[in-house]
Amino acid sequence: MRRYNKVKDIYDYTLAEIVKDRKEWMNFLSFHARVYKHTFDDAVLIYAQRPDATFVADMKTWNQKIGRWIKKGAKSIAVFDQSKDYPALKNYFDIKDTTVRQENRFSYPAYWRIDEKNEPLLLIRLKKYYDLNTIDEYLKAVTVVKLNKQELKLYKGFEKDIEESRLSSFDIEKVKNQHKTTLAESIYYMTATRCGLKVVPNFKVIGYFDTKALIFRMGSIISNLSEGILRDIEKEIKAIQNERSVANEASHPRLPNDRTRISRTRTGSIEQSTGDRQIRNESHELSQGRVPTQIQSSQGRGNTDGNHVQGQRGSSPENGSATGTDVKDRADTESRELLRELQTQGDDKDKGRGDSTSRDSVQTEIEASLESSHDGSLILSKITDKQ
């Protein structure tokens, strides 16, 4: 119980810190964008304990599914265990707390990203949901639509939450408008940052949301809606990669006796050391706001788009028996599924996509949202004006 109370104190302190000013809020949202499949509470505690974290999972996932050992003496990241009916904690470890036990196609996870190769195809796929011309436009529009869908939930119990805050003396309708504008800016900033866009947000009133209830309300909405948006984009990027793999497999059929081996017995411990050093270097880049294209061993990895775990990127050939591309193609499906599990400890049931069944009419919905809600129009214009 002493440890739980200590973690709770860390959580409360960090909540107050992240809304101190515009810069602190931006720093937190940039971090949360990296671990967007974790809940708001998880993100706050991971940020407080390991702001340089990149890939976070529990010991079972690292040991049994990834094939990496937790290093002796590694310090865990404590978060609240929401699955229990009583106060409890669970422990996460960042990839820098692990070492390769037995190298396989899953050993070196990497982020998906939007680049010049997949962006045109991604936009084509996203047009079936939103008929817009850029990723930036897509993110702005989907933010407005998702917020308008949550209109009734946004302000349930809101007046009670602001009673002891700096907002209590202001007109309630104006406070609600500012709250919604801040939500829209934050969702757009978080998703745009994860997609590699440079955004300069306003966040001029963030310091007024200064009570635990208000911060949690706001953070949870931002976290949930951002996750849904980013999962949709991730799904489409993976579909593009699947299509590329199938096309590549068809153009490079394997011979009947072609047996690709992915063991690294020839390279031994030297390459493992190099791989972990590369992870540390790339993790530092992430802490500086630069998302790495890949996290991998520096030897024999071949060309990659940096969107999957090591199995998709390929493995260096043993005695020249197979190319990295061959291994990459055969590992696509498994590695993508594992990366999804690595980045979240929760259920992956299309979380945050409550509007997925009505996407055939979503363009009409965008127009209706912007026309029927002056808040929505104001939000979109304010975000656009800041660019």
Side-chain angles (χ1 to χ4, degrees):
M1 199 64 188
R2 285 180 58 189
R3 189 181 183 218
Y4 181 89
N5 289 333
K6 183 178 179 180
V7 171
K8 186 176 180 298
D9 288 342
I10 293 173
Y11 176 80
D12 291 344
Y13 173 80
T14 306
L15 276 187
E17 287 294 303
I18 61 178
V19 296
K20 261 188 172 182
D21 54 41
R22 172 178 176 271
K23 183 178 179 181
E24 292 294 335
W25 188 236
M26 288 173 63
N27 288 342
F28 171 71
L29 291 180
S30 296
F31 171 82
H32 197 0
R34 298 206 307 261
V35 293
Y36 66 88
K37 290 182 181 178
H38 287 273
T39 65
F40 175 69
D41 282 349
D42 277 8
V44 168
L45 284 170
I46 298 169
Y47 179 65
Q49 297 167 78
R50 293 294 295 276
D52 63 334
T54 53
F55 289 95
V56 178
D58 59 20
M59 182 178 290
K60 181 179 179 181
T61 300
W62 284 123
N63 289 352
Q64 298 182 15
K65 298 178 180 180
I66 309 300
R68 298 182 73 99
W69 275 339
I70 307 300
K71 294 176 182 177
K72 186 176 181 180
K75 188 176 181 180
S76 64
I77 305 167
V79 299
F80 301 129
D81 189 346
Q82 307 290 356
S83 67
K84 301 290 193 300
D85 295 329
Y86 52 88
L89 301 173
K90 58 184 176 181
N91 297 311
Y92 289 148
F93 294 89
D94 185 51
I95 192 170
K96 293 183 292 298
D97 301 319
T98 70
T99 185
V100 176
R101 177 179 61 184
Q102 182 177 0
E103 189 167 315
N104 58 50
R105 60 175 63 94
F106 307 130
S107 298
Y108 302 93
Y111 280 112
W112 59 262
R113 63 171 181 156
I114 300 174
D115 56 30
E116 63 278 3
K117 293 182 179 179
N118 62 21
E119 183 173 2
L121 294 173
L122 176 62
L123 283 169
I124 291 172
R125 299 185 72 91
L126 292 178
K127 278 180 180 291
K128 64 186 177 184
Y129 308 143
Y130 303 88
D131 190 16
L132 300 166
N133 298 317
T134 67
I135 299 298
D136 182 68
E137 290 177 359
Y138 172 85
L139 294 177
K140 289 174 181 175
V142 72
T143 294
V144 173
V145 171
K146 284 185 175 289
L147 275 175
N148 285 342
K149 277 181 169 292
Q150 298 288 320
E151 188 76 33
L152 295 178
K153 297 179 182 179
L154 290 183
Y155 302 113
K156 186 178 181 180
F158 184 76
E159 294 185 31
K160 183 179 180 181
D161 285 350
I162 68 172
E163 286 178 354
E164 298 181 4
S165 74
R166 295 172 64 187
L167 298 168
S168 59
S169 61
F170 293 91
D171 178 77
I172 185 64
E173 292 305 318
K174 291 182 179 179
V175 171
K176 288 181 177 180
N177 287 342
Q178 286 294 337
H179 179 251
K180 191 171 183 181
T181 299
T182 302
L183 290 176
E185 271 197 302
S186 299
I187 294 167
Y188 171 65
Y189 178 76
M190 181 170 162
T191 55
T193 298
R194 180 61 186 84
C195 291
L197 303 178
K198 292 183 179 180
V199 178
V200 182
N202 191 350
F203 296 147
K204 64 179 180 180
V205 298
I206 190 64
Y208 284 84
F209 298 92
D210 56 354
T211 65
K212 185 176 180 179
L214 276 175
I215 302 168
F216 176 77
R217 169 191 289 271
M218 182 171 61
S220 298
I221 294 170
I222 293 166
S223 182
N224 291 340
L225 296 188
S226 295
E227 179 184 354
I229 294 169
L230 291 172
R231 280 184 183 272
D232 284 341
I233 293 173
E234 179 187 29
K235 181 188 71 172
E236 299 304 336
I237 289 177
K238 289 180 177 180
I240 292 169
Q241 292 162 347
N242 270 335
E243 292 170 0
R244 284 177 175 171
S245 294
V246 171
N248 193 46
E249 185 74 20
S251 61
H252 297 87
R254 286 189 298 162
L255 297 175
N257 293 326
D258 179 16
R259 295 184 179 182
T260 301
R261 292 168 288 177
I262 63 170
S263 66
R264 299 294 185 114
T265 55
R266 184 168 59 87
T267 57
S269 60
I270 295 177
E271 185 175 6
Q272 288 190 6
S273 174
T274 304
D276 287 339
R277 182 166 60 253
Q278 176 75 2
I279 288 171
R280 288 194 294 273
N281 291 339
E282 302 240 25
S283 298
H284 174 71
E285 289 189 0
L286 278 170
S287 69
Q288 302 302 316
R290 299 188 297 274
V291 179
T293 58
Q294 56 193 12
I295 299 179
Q296 63 178 42
S297 167
S298 61
Q299 178 178 347
R301 293 286 169 183
N303 295 327
T304 175
D305 58 10
N307 294 315
H308 297 308
V309 290
Q310 189 268 351
Q312 183 174 349
R313 290 192 304 279
S315 172
S316 67
E318 181 181 85
N319 298 327
S321 61
T323 66
T325 301
D326 290 334
V327 178
K328 171 183 178 297
D329 296 337
R330 289 190 293 275
D332 273 344
T333 302
E334 287 185 76
S335 61
R336 282 192 297 274
E337 292 302 317
L338 189 61
L339 179 55
R340 177 186 302 169
E341 192 158 354
L342 174 64
Q343 287 188 291
T344 178
Q345 295 299 309
D347 195 355
D348 197 15
K349 300 177 182 176
D350 291 326
K351 186 178 178 182
R353 298 185 194 167
D355 58 335
S356 60
T357 57
S358 60
R359 285 177 176 165
D360 55 336
S361 61
V362 74
Q363 185 60 32
T364 302
E365 186 177 357
I366 292 175
E367 297 171 359
S369 295
L370 296 179
E371 290 174 3
S372 63
S373 171
H374 70 279
D375 290 340
S377 301
L378 179 64
I379 291 165
L380 189 59
S381 63
K382 282 189 174 183
I383 294 175
T384 306
D385 291 344
K386 300 303 174 185
Q387 303 312 305

